[in-house]
Amino acid sequence: MKKRLFASVLLFSLTLSAIATPSIALADNVDKKIEEKNQEISSLKAKQGDLASQVSSLEAEVSSVFDESMALREQKQTLKAKSEQLQQEITNLNQRIEKRNEAIKNQARDVQVNGQSTTMLDAVLDADSVADAISRVQAVSTIVSANNDLLMKQQKEQKQDVVDKKAENEKKVKQLEATEAELETKRQDLLSKQSELNVMKASLALEQSSAESSKAGLEKQKAAAEAE
């Protein structure tokens, strides 16, 4: 009787052991998979954090480039306005030079035709002799011519100075436009990189969501195994 009872207990124990062993093995395997998913999720979160930092850095750089472009645009507008002002000065100087040339021609024609002018007439009237009169007329003519030449020279120099300033101003405008174009190209490149990083970030978020879903499934599987 005792032998039969012992055999029954032993058989029951062996049966329980046979049933429990696969359950334990399954639970251990599920735990391992859950740990792998935890590591995967942690890695994905770290990658997303790194990408978020890069995106933030690019956003700051894009903003800085944009501000610099706006500043250059304002400088360019100021220089263009200056160029227009200088062009008006050149136009005014050209008109004054033309008027001066016309006045010189008229003065020379009056002297040739009428043989007199107030200054020359005074010079002749004050002369002591014919030779003195001729000398005085020549002196007055020389002085008038020299004065006209000096005025013409000054006006032309003034015009050249304004022309040079306008040329330098326009050179600066072109340099600013080139720099502005370079900045715009840089800004577009940064925006493109930022867009790529956002796509990568979204992809990692999907991977994380999938890993978390898998982990949840494994946890349910583990709970069911433990319940058995």
Side-chain angles (χ1 to χ4, degrees):
M1 183 68 180
K2 289 182 178 180
K3 288 183 178 179
R4 188 173 296 177
L5 180 60
F6 176 76
S8 297
V9 171
L10 179 61
L11 180 61
F12 181 71
S13 298
L14 290 173
T15 303
L16 286 177
S17 177
I19 295 172
T21 299
S23 297
I24 294 171
L26 178 61
D28 289 343
N29 187 45
V30 171
D31 282 340
K32 183 179 178 181
K33 289 182 178 179
I34 290 174
E35 179 58 29
E36 289 175 352
K37 287 299 176 183
N38 283 333
Q39 292 178 1
E40 182 182 352
I41 291 168
S42 295
S43 176
L44 290 169
K45 285 182 177 179
K47 289 180 180 178
Q48 287 184 77
D50 181 58
L51 286 176
S53 177
Q54 292 183 53
V55 169
S56 178
S57 177
L58 284 174
E59 286 176 350
E61 197 169 351
V62 168
S63 178
S64 175
V65 169
F66 179 77
D67 290 342
E68 191 174 351
S69 295
M70 292 302 294
L72 287 176
R73 192 167 298 177
E74 289 180 5
Q75 291 181 41
K76 186 177 68 176
Q77 293 301 322
T78 300
L79 288 173
K80 282 187 174 181
K82 182 65 176 177
S83 288
E84 292 176 1
Q85 179 184 342
L86 290 170
Q87 181 58 51
Q88 187 58 49
E89 287 185 33
I90 291 171
T91 300
N92 293 339
L93 283 169
N94 282 334
Q95 292 175 351
R96 280 153 58 184
I97 289 171
E98 289 177 5
K99 289 180 180 180
R100 172 62 60 182
N101 280 330
E102 188 64 27
I104 292 172
K105 289 178 183 178
N106 291 336
Q107 186 182 59
R109 184 168 56 252
D110 287 343
V111 171
Q112 290 175 354
V113 174
N114 301 323
Q116 62 181 5
S117 68
T118 303
T119 303
M120 290 188 176
L121 181 60
D122 291 340
V124 171
L125 293 175
D126 292 340
D128 296 329
S129 62
V130 174
D132 185 32
I134 294 173
S135 177
R136 285 172 178 267
V137 168
Q138 289 176 341
V140 170
S141 179
T142 300
I143 292 171
V144 171
S145 178
N147 286 337
N148 286 330
D149 289 343
L150 180 60
L151 286 172
M152 285 295 295
K153 181 181 179 182
Q154 289 175 343
Q155 287 181 340
K156 287 180 179 179
E157 287 176 349
Q158 187 178 359
K159 175 188 173 183
Q160 187 60 49
D161 181 57
V162 176
V163 168
D164 291 342
K165 286 180 180 178
K166 182 172 181 287
E168 180 64 24
N169 209 59
E170 290 176 346
K171 181 181 177 181
K172 289 180 180 178
V173 170
K174 290 182 179 179
Q175 290 174 342
L176 286 177
E177 288 176 343
T179 303
E180 189 179 1
E182 290 174 2
L183 285 175
E184 180 59 23
T185 299
K186 183 179 179 181
R187 189 175 76 89
Q188 291 300 329
D189 289 341
L190 290 172
L191 288 172
S192 178
K193 290 179 182 177
Q194 183 181 345
S195 178
E196 290 174 4
L197 289 176
N198 282 327
V199 170
M200 292 172 64
K201 186 179 175 184
S203 177
L204 289 174
L206 287 174
E207 288 184 44
Q208 180 184 335
S209 177
S210 176
E212 288 175 344
S213 178
S214 296
K215 176 186 172 183
L218 289 169
E219 287 175 338
K220 286 182 180 180
Q221 185 179 347
K222 177 184 176 181
E226 289 176 343
E228 291 177 0

